[in-house]
């Protein structure tokens, strides 16, 4: 009987110990839960502080929707474009000789081929969009950055991927072959591939530049492989910062280059459209490059 009593006592002691351990574990779980609830707001606040303090590459909105300020800068007032005139640091496209006109239906066509990863494409798009906005309008333009691993990393720019362009005077086709990580986005049509193969090679470009982007074909009458604007001018700027330099500092280096390029493209497009619309093609901005256009 004594042995049985001792055994029973040990069992009760063991059961009591297990109960105490379970109670202690429950208490720890409760404390941990209350601690998580208490610190969660502080943790969220910390994340918000980090997000503000460390912006996305290039700052601004990152890839996606353009701000109202940036959209407005893509259609600057005519007097600002006239003021800039030829601008500074602009590389004018090359004029072709005796080439068949590139048209779509009964309108001249401008073909752009590039990639979102490309910093030179990034710099080229700003002036090209501003020029095209004088003849029509875009919908679906988005903001993106060039590759973080290429020259001039994270250059703020626009993307033609998913965008459409409407004009009474010309047709524009913008093809983005790759995204900023060089993953395929779009494929050239057979006709576009033929144009790219023909005009993005000698004698129209240097042999070492064959097949490079950006490539812009202005109706087969003017060609540009490479950029009219130095992408280094945009280094470290967000979309909104580029926009601010265009709208608020038209005599600054960035605006002189981008708006000067836009005026060069405008002069070429006016040549393709036979001077239409008149208010654009007779402006000081459009006639500034009259000598190059011929």
């Amino acid at each position: 009987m004594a042995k049985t009593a001792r055994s029973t006592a040990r069992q009760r002691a063991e059961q009591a110990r297990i109960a105490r351990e379970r109670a202690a574990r429950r208490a720890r779980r409760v404390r941990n839960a209350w601690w998580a609830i208490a610190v969660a707001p502080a943790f969220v606040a910390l994340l918000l502080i980090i997000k503000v303090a460390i912006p996305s590459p290039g700052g601004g909105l990152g890839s996606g929707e353009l701000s109202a300020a940036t959209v407005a800068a893509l259609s600057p007032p005519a007097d600002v474009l006239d003021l800039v005139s030829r601008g500074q640091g602009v590389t004018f496209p090359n004029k072709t000789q005796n080439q068949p006109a590139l048209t779509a239906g009964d309108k001249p066509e401008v073909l752009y081929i590039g990639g979102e990863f490309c910093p030179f494409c990034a710099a080229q798009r700003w002036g090209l969009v501003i020029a095209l906005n004088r003849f029509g309008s875009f919908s679906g333009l988005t903001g993106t950055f060039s590759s973080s691993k290429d020259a001039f990393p994270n250059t703020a720019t626009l993307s033609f991927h998913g965008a459409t362009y409407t004009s009474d005077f010309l047709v524009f086709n913008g093809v983005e072959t790759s995204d900023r990580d060089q993953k395929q986005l779009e494929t050239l049509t057979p006709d576009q591939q033929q144009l790219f193969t023909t005009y993005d090679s000698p004698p129209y470009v240097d042999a070492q530049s064959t097949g490079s982007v950006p490539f812009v074909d202005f109706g087969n009458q003017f060609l540009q492989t490479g950029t009219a604007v130095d992408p280094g001018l945009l280094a470290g700027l967000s979309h909104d910062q580029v926009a601010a330099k265009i709208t608020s500092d038209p005599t600054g280096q960035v605006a002189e280059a981008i708006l000067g390029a836009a005026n060069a493209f405008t002069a070429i497009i006016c040549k393709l459209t036979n001077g239409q619309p008149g208010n654009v093609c007779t402006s000081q901005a459009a006639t500034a490059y009259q000598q190059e256009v011929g």
Side-chain angles (χ1 to χ4, degrees):
M1 292 293 293
K3 185 176 181 180
T4 301
R6 285 195 299 271
S7 177
T8 300
R10 283 195 298 269
Q11 290 175 356
R12 290 176 178 172
E14 181 63 18
Q15 290 171 351
R17 182 186 65 79
I18 293 172
R20 287 194 299 272
E21 290 181 355
R22 288 176 177 172
R25 285 196 295 269
R26 284 196 299 270
R28 284 196 296 270
R29 286 197 295 268
V30 170
R31 287 196 301 272
N32 290 340
W34 278 109
W35 180 87
I37 292 170
V39 303
F43 181 70
V44 171
L46 178 61
L47 290 178
L48 291 174
I49 292 170
I50 292 172
K51 182 176 178 62
V52 172
I54 307 176
S56 58
L61 299 174
S63 299
E65 184 178 359
L66 295 169
S67 72
T70 297
V71 171
L74 297 174
S75 297
D79 59 348
V80 171
L81 290 162
D82 289 344
L83 173 66
V84 172
S85 186
R86 294 177 64 91
Q88 295 290 332
V90 177
T91 300
F92 195 83
N94 296 321
K95 189 174 183 178
T96 64
Q97 299 293 331
N98 304 318
Q99 296 304 303
L102 175 62
T103 61
D106 59 350
K107 298 176 183 178
E109 179 180 351
V110 175
L111 172 65
Y112 162 94
I113 299 173
E116 293 181 352
F117 69 91
C118 163
F120 302 97
C121 305
Q124 183 80 326
R125 292 188 199 97
W126 288 96
L128 186 57
V129 168
I130 290 171
L132 288 167
N133 274 342
R134 305 200 75 183
F135 299 86
S137 60
F138 281 97
S139 62
L141 276 179
T142 54
T144 189
F145 296 94
S146 67
S147 171
S148 62
K149 300 176 183 178
D150 207 328
F152 310 104
N154 300 317
T155 300
T157 187
L158 319 164
S159 176
F160 295 123
H161 180 57
T164 57
Y165 179 73
T166 304
S167 171
D168 293 332
F169 307 101
L170 75 149
V171 171
F172 172 73
N173 284 306
V175 183
E176 305 288 6
T177 60
S178 306
D179 67 12
R180 70 187 300 259
D181 297 316
Q182 299 197 40
K183 296 177 182 178
Q184 183 174 342
L185 281 179
E186 302 173 18
T187 303
L188 300 178
T189 66
D191 288 344
Q192 290 169 348
Q193 183 63 61
Q194 181 61 43
L195 289 168
F196 188 55
T197 301
T198 300
Y199 293 111
D200 201 6
S201 61
Y204 302 101
V205 300
D206 295 334
Q208 62 267 28
S209 299
T210 298
S212 60
V213 292
F215 169 78
V216 188
D217 184 337
F218 295 92
N220 281 357
Q221 307 307 300
F222 294 84
L223 304 168
Q224 189 156 54
T225 296
T227 178
V229 176
D230 178 7
L233 294 174
L234 309 181
L237 299 178
S238 69
H239 296 85
D240 283 354
Q241 287 169 335
V242 175
K245 288 183 177 294
I246 291 172
T247 57
S248 303
D249 188 18
T251 59
Q253 196 173 15
V254 172
E256 287 270 355
I258 289 176
L259 298 181
N263 289 344
F265 300 151
T266 298
I268 291 172
I269 296 172
C270 284
K271 180 77 171 181
L272 302 181
T273 64
N274 293 317
Q276 297 300 316
N279 64 318
V280 171
C281 294
T282 58
S283 67
Q284 181 178 336
T287 58
Y289 282 95
Q290 190 60 47
Q291 182 177 349
E292 287 83 352
V293 172

